[in-house]
Amino acid sequence: MDAPGTPLVVLDHVNKHYGDLHVLNDINLTIAKGEVVVVIGPSGSGKSTLCRAINRLETIDDGTISIDGQPLPSEGAALAKLRANVGMVFQSFNLFAHKTILQNVTLGPIAVSKKSKAEADGRAMELLERVGVANQAKKMPAQLSGGQQQRVAIARALAMQPSVMLFDEPTSALDPEMINEVLDVMVGLAKEGMTMIVVTHEMGFARRAADRVVFMADGRIVEDTTPAEFFDHPKSERAKDFLSKILTH
Amino acid sequence: MVIFDNLPLYLEAFLQTLALLLLTIVLALPLGAVIAAMRISPIGSLRATATVYTEILRNTPLVLVFIFCFVVLPILGVILPFMFSAVLALTLYTAPFFAEAIRSGINGVPVGQAEAARSIGMTFGQTVTLVVLPQAIRSVIPPIINVMIALTKNTSIAGGFFIFELFNSGRRLVNENGDQVILVLVGVAAFYLLITIPLGQLADFLERRVVIRR
């Protein structure tokens, strides 16, 4: 086990284009073990692409991304193995629609980590208990509210015992009254020392749980600082403009 | 009446049609599934191979595929039993249709399902077999059965290539019973319907049974 502070996720001169759009422009970012980094920025700034590139759901044109010192493999079994170590939570939950809540959480441990069903079930129930949906274990995803589904999605990712968790706008598809139940789970995770990269617009979460805020615009990292510094004394015009737009209402 | 007088002949031909149909399904359905998997695979050369194969076979008249298997292959030195050649031709021709039916069902599964599967460390094969295909099944069943119904009718082409199946039996009976052509053909049609109508019913039944809520 590495000590806190060791670099865990390292992006080095990462570039990606969508046609003419330079969606990731020379991104350099190091995330240490145990760090909680919130990535913030206007839509189209490349923050989701950045998050998805870290477990290679998006390919990059050049530069390197490494996790725990290992460069991302390009395809095949090595990539699958690495992804098992990187948890991902999506905006649209993406629970497996043909599986029960419990099976959603146990599928990875059984199919990927080759755990026994009994062991996977036990661990899954603990995780569902922890995110507060254990009483829904036998239901199908479509029977749950969005907030419940997203908490199950977090449990599903945790079941693989990842060393880093990626959150790609985890509350953007939720009704307002369900946002907090998901954020509470995330704050709990952060307090326990999980390394987290969170793309979100939730300022409250950033202030409460983040060690760093990374502000992106037009494919570049414009600011990389503490939450207090970013929200109270943004340096760039781009960040001031962005904050004035989202904080005035 | 000509139909009942020749029932044993009809039955023999019907069984041959059934054999062509079942053998082709048994071979073409797995082949189609493999082609469909190749077309969505992350490996470019597999995608290209499957696409070229699909486009060529799907857009070639079935008679030409038969001529290839019955005329061109023997010229090239590959001499096969007639039944073997017929099943080969039908399989080569039908597999791409199965592949397209399966692929359309796969495309109906939201891409986030596959992303979620891969994000917890599943390989491409696990993603397809554990997450995508089980959800694609429901939307895949009706088009697959449509392909089977078309295949049932397509087996008649084999009648022109030395196989004594329903269409061929009709031809022989027409020659022998020139005064009862309509009845002979009604008999042939009835035996085809004996296969195709239950297939359609099966499609409806399965579609109702396998429902996935979103």
Side-chain angles (χ1 to χ4, degrees):
Chain A
M1 202 67 181
D2 292 329
T6 331
L8 186 62
V9 179
V10 180
L11 290 86
D12 187 27
H13 296 289
V14 170
N15 282 286
K16 181 181 178 68
H17 300 79
Y18 283 131
D20 286 339
L21 185 68
H22 202 162
V23 65
L24 294 179
N25 191 341
D26 196 32
I27 301 289
N28 293 290
L29 185 64
T30 300
I31 291 136
K33 197 167 183 61
E35 228 180 355
V36 177
V37 176
V38 162
V39 182
I40 217 166
S43 68
S45 59
K47 56 194 192 304
S48 270
T49 308
L50 175 78
C51 184
R52 291 164 56 85
I54 293 172
N55 69 353
R56 214 172 192 280
L57 287 177
E58 301 278 351
T59 56
I60 55 174
D61 298 339
D62 56 59
T64 56
I65 298 176
S66 52
I67 292 173
D68 229 348
Q70 303 289 319
L72 280 189
S74 58
E75 263 309 327
L79 179 61
K81 200 170 164 209
L82 178 131
R83 281 187 177 133
N85 191 33
V86 179
M88 175 106 189
V89 175
F90 301 86
Q91 182 177 348
S92 49
F93 331 134
N94 295 345
L95 292 183
F96 303 132
H98 63 307
K99 298 278 185 194
T100 65
I101 295 308
L102 181 65
Q103 288 168 337
N104 260 276
V105 183
T106 57
L107 188 60
I110 292 171
V112 178
S113 316
K114 309 297 177 200
K115 296 267 199 308
S116 72
K117 185 177 178 302
E119 188 184 352
D121 280 355
R123 168 102 177 112
M125 286 311 294
E126 280 172 30
L127 286 167
L128 289 175
E129 192 76 50
R130 173 171 162 187
V131 300
V133 287
N135 55 346
Q136 315 283 338
K138 291 199 175 70
K139 291 190 181 168
M140 300 302 282
Q143 295 170 281
L144 270 60
S145 72
Q148 290 172 323
Q149 288 192 53
Q150 193 62 300
R151 285 182 281 152
V152 174
I154 293 172
R156 174 176 69 181
L158 289 175
M160 299 307 293
Q161 300 177 294
S163 58
V164 53
M165 288 278 288
L166 309 173
F167 294 82
D168 186 7
E169 305 208 27
T171 57
S172 300
L174 294 177
D175 292 333
E177 76 269 23
M178 295 173 183
I179 290 177
N180 279 337
E181 64 191 51
V182 172
L183 290 179
D184 286 345
V185 171
M186 291 168 59
V187 170
L189 263 182
K191 291 220 169 91
E192 286 167 32
M194 175 61 79
T195 311
M196 294 163 65
I197 300 169
V198 186
V199 175
T200 186
H201 287 141
E202 296 298 329
M203 304 300 154
F205 174 80
R207 279 184 186 274
R208 249 201 306 171
D211 299 305
R212 272 159 73 194
V213 171
V214 168
F215 175 71
M216 286 185 74
D218 305 323
R220 291 173 186 279
I221 291 178
V222 180
E223 300 206 16
D224 181 351
T225 178
T226 62
E229 185 71 15
F230 177 74
F231 291 118
D232 300 335
H233 310 287
K235 290 190 183 59
S236 63
E237 284 307 312
R238 207 75 177 75
K240 284 177 194 164
D241 181 52
F242 176 73
L243 286 172
S244 73
K245 277 176 185 149
I246 57 168
L247 293 179
T248 44
H249 295 291
Chain B
M1 196 169 75
V2 65
I3 297 178
F4 297 107
D5 294 344
N6 294 289
L7 213 47
L9 192 84
Y10 271 124
L11 224 50
E12 184 195 337
F14 175 71
L15 289 179
Q16 192 68 273
T17 293
L18 215 52
L20 283 170
L21 175 68
L22 293 178
L23 285 172
T24 305
I25 289 173
V26 164
L27 294 171
L29 198 51
L31 181 58
V34 169
I35 295 167
M38 284 168 71
R39 287 199 70 166
I40 56 162
S41 91
I43 301 163
S45 57
L46 289 183
R47 277 203 305 274
T49 309
T51 307
V52 169
Y53 172 70
T54 300
E55 291 308 320
I56 290 178
L57 268 295
R58 200 164 61 121
N59 296 307
T60 304
L62 177 56
V63 174
L64 281 186
V65 182
F66 263 90
I67 291 175
F68 177 82
C69 292
F70 277 84
V71 180
V72 179
L73 283 184
I75 291 174
L76 296 173
V78 184
I79 295 164
L80 304 165
F82 289 152
M83 186 63 182
F84 199 104
S85 300
V87 170
L88 179 65
L90 285 168
T91 299
L92 289 177
Y93 177 80
T94 309
F97 287 93
F98 278 135
E100 288 299 281
I102 293 168
R103 194 170 68 104
S104 71
I106 287 173
N107 285 342
V109 177
V111 66
Q113 294 285 311
E115 287 186 348
R118 307 201 78 187
S119 78
I120 56 171
M122 286 192 197
T123 60
F124 173 73
Q126 288 176 320
T127 302
V128 170
T129 55
L130 297 177
V131 174
V132 178
L133 278 185
Q135 295 187 55
I137 290 283
R138 178 174 174 266
S139 46
V140 153
I141 287 171
I144 279 193
I145 290 189
N146 276 338
V147 173
M148 289 181 183
I149 290 172
L151 170 64
T152 308
K153 297 179 287 179
N154 283 341
T155 55
S156 62
I157 300 282
F161 290 84
F162 321 113
I163 307 290
F164 191 72
E165 47 63 76
L166 276 175
F167 175 73
N168 212 346
S169 72
R171 212 159 50 165
R172 187 201 285 185
L173 288 174
V174 164
N175 282 339
E176 293 167 0
N177 305 275
D179 54 336
Q180 300 183 73
V181 172
I182 294 176
L183 263 183
V184 167
L185 295 181
V186 165
V188 170
F191 275 103
Y192 277 115
L193 292 177
L194 208 57
I195 302 175
T196 51
I197 288 179
L199 273 178
Q201 306 256 311
L202 180 68
D204 291 346
F205 172 74
L206 288 177
E207 199 178 5
R208 277 195 306 270
R209 279 288 300 277
V210 196
V211 180
I212 294 166
R213 284 181 45 179
R214 290 203 186 281

